[in-house]
Amino acid sequence: MLGASVKHELENGLIWALGMMSGTSLDGVDAAFVQTDGEQISSFGPHGYLDYSNDQRGILRAALGQWPDGPKVAAAAQVGEAAHIALARQLMSEQTPALVGFHGQTLAHDPKNHRTHQTGDGQVLADALDVPVVWDFRSQDVAEGGEGAPLAPFFHHACARFIGAEGPLAFLNLGGVGNVTWVDPGIAAPEAPNACLAFDTGPANAPINDLMLARRGEALDQGGALALSGKADERLVLSFLEHPYFKRVPPKSLDRDQFPNLSATVVALSDADAVRTLVACAAEAVAQAMIHCPSRPERILVTGGGRKNVALMQELSARLSLPVQDIDETGLDGDMLEAQAFAYLAVRVARGLPTSSPTTTGVERPTCGGRTAYPTRA
């Protein structure tokens, strides 16, 4: 049974939470501490990253697209759980969390049919770490008619207020899939009407990484070096924009592999031109996304691994009529923002606060997703 003092701590005042995230780029696990009451951010704490080995990436990649009964899922879950536990233990030597937010590894996402699959069992982590773990953040939202993604917008809203922003901002996360959050920090509650709008923009790093692996045996185009030496095929970029996803009104979300023909369109191009074309597609998808913002954001803050791709940042600046800024320049940590988001969301779940809304995931009403696993004590 959960002790009364522990329960009181989880439900009241500022607490330290540890958030953990493994994204669709399949690069590794991020983990970061946030001190929050689930509404305002007080401070940020220790953080870390654990790189997946090539063998681990292979196991995870083999399970992509599979649902819980898939033949490769159990092995993928073990890889993910072990990596998260190892990194959490490392960070817990520096800071003690009252709560852990565990996203798990997304293997399949099908909101049209009210299902989403993030493998990894929160109970396994709770028992290994002896800390309550909030997990399965997306299922409730999807069950109630939402897209289940993106889930970082409420945290983005809190970040905008933390850095003292006054006018609307756009947070652009470039992971395997790109997603954007438009926020108005002048509205106090993120679930309030007109406070946030969020949706997936389109493919980002995933097709680039897949191409690099297939053609060169490399996990990514480090720094965008190869893309910088290539030239985008604008005819293929225009063809890419004909995908019906771009005509959909947000909120909307994507599975990692929802553009399966994208890689095939660049097969005849050289390595450099092919990867530059994929970079241009990712940037043009963001340009199309800006049409849906309620008002022009003052700037776009870029987070996620894609901001380190110089070619991608160049393409964004060229294709957008807005200032494009690496989020690190604001004092926030673009490498850890997703992990920090799940620390923040874990506290919101513990306190019964909404984690999504009609304008972030398309759910019918503000919804509190996630379930909590408590350590099994003898």
Side-chain angles (χ1 to χ4, degrees):
M1 179 178 289
L2 191 65
S5 62
V6 174
K7 188 173 187 297
H8 182 270
E9 181 183 14
L10 293 182
E11 295 178 352
N12 297 275
L14 292 170
I15 62 172
W16 282 104
L18 174 63
M20 311 192 76
M21 178 68 187
S22 177
T24 52
S25 295
L26 305 180
D27 48 0
V29 181
D30 298 321
F33 277 91
V34 177
Q35 188 182 43
T36 179
D37 60 0
E39 297 182 75
Q40 297 184 6
I41 298 166
S42 175
S43 59
F44 297 103
H47 56 80
Y49 170 74
L50 182 64
D51 195 31
Y52 285 131
S53 68
N54 287 335
D55 287 345
Q56 289 174 317
R57 287 192 189 97
I59 292 170
L60 294 172
R61 192 177 296 276
L64 289 174
Q66 295 189 3
W67 298 97
D69 58 353
K72 305 292 186 180
V73 170
Q78 290 177 356
V79 165
E81 289 162 357
H84 283 77
I85 290 167
L87 182 56
R89 284 175 171 163
Q90 176 184 324
L91 289 177
M92 287 169 65
S93 67
E94 303 178 53
Q95 180 79 50
T96 301
L99 192 65
V100 170
F102 169 52
H103 175 267
Q105 180 66 55
T106 296
L107 297 182
H109 185 64
D110 182 20
K112 286 185 178 179
N113 292 303
H114 307 293
R115 58 181 186 163
T116 187
H117 179 208
Q118 289 73 46
T119 195
D121 188 338
Q123 190 63 57
V124 171
L125 267 70
D127 289 339
L129 302 175
D130 198 31
V131 176
V133 173
V134 179
W135 64 299
D136 192 20
F137 284 91
R138 302 187 189 273
S139 294
Q140 186 62 36
D141 183 272
V142 170
E144 295 190 22
E147 293 278 333
L151 286 186
F154 284 11
F155 178 65
H156 293 156
H157 184 271
C159 285
R161 293 169 67 84
F162 180 79
I163 64 174
E166 296 180 356
L169 293 179
F171 288 76
L172 174 63
N173 177 54
L174 295 174
V177 170
N179 59 70
V180 66
T181 304
W182 176 96
V183 301
D184 182 349
I187 299 174
E191 70 271 21
N194 305 316
C196 297
L197 176 68
F199 55 98
D200 287 346
T201 60
N205 297 325
I208 298 168
N209 294 351
D210 290 349
L211 183 144
M212 292 297 296
L213 183 64
R215 294 200 183 190
R216 297 201 165 198
E218 300 173 11
L220 73 163
D221 180 16
Q222 190 71 48
L226 181 60
L228 286 170
S229 68
K231 181 179 180 181
D233 185 325
E234 294 297 333
R235 177 182 56 86
L236 295 180
V237 176
L238 288 174
S239 176
F240 162 73
L241 293 176
E242 293 176 2
H243 193 286
Y245 180 78
F246 298 113
K247 296 180 177 64
R248 285 179 53 195
V249 175
K252 54 184 178 178
S253 67
L254 286 167
D255 182 68
R256 182 188 191 279
D257 298 316
Q258 204 162 321
F259 285 72
N261 298 322
L262 182 54
S263 295
T265 65
V266 299
V267 69
L269 301 180
S270 68
D271 290 359
D273 288 352
V275 72
R276 183 70 184 218
T277 300
L278 294 178
V279 164
C281 287
E284 193 59 49
V286 176
Q288 295 298 310
M290 290 298 103
I291 296 169
H292 299 293
C293 290
S295 65
R296 178 185 171 90
E298 293 181 347
R299 52 187 162 147
I300 297 177
L301 304 181
V302 186
T303 181
R307 79 192 194 286
K308 299 180 180 179
N309 184 320
V310 177
L312 182 49
M313 293 295 281
Q314 286 182 356
E315 290 283 355
L316 287 169
S317 294
R319 294 170 187 268
L320 293 167
S321 59
L322 292 166
V324 177
Q325 183 179 17
D326 185 332
I327 199 168
D328 291 3
E329 297 172 10
T330 70
L332 298 171
D333 189 334
D335 287 330
M336 290 295 145
L337 214 69
E338 288 272 289
Q340 291 167 347
F342 285 95
Y344 176 81
L345 292 173
V347 179
R348 289 185 71 87
V349 171
R351 296 175 181 186
L353 297 170
T355 53
S356 60
S357 69
T359 56
T360 61
T361 66
V363 72
E364 290 186 4
R365 55 187 174 275
T367 297
C368 183
R371 48 182 169 147
T372 306
Y374 298 99
T376 302
R377 293 185 172 89

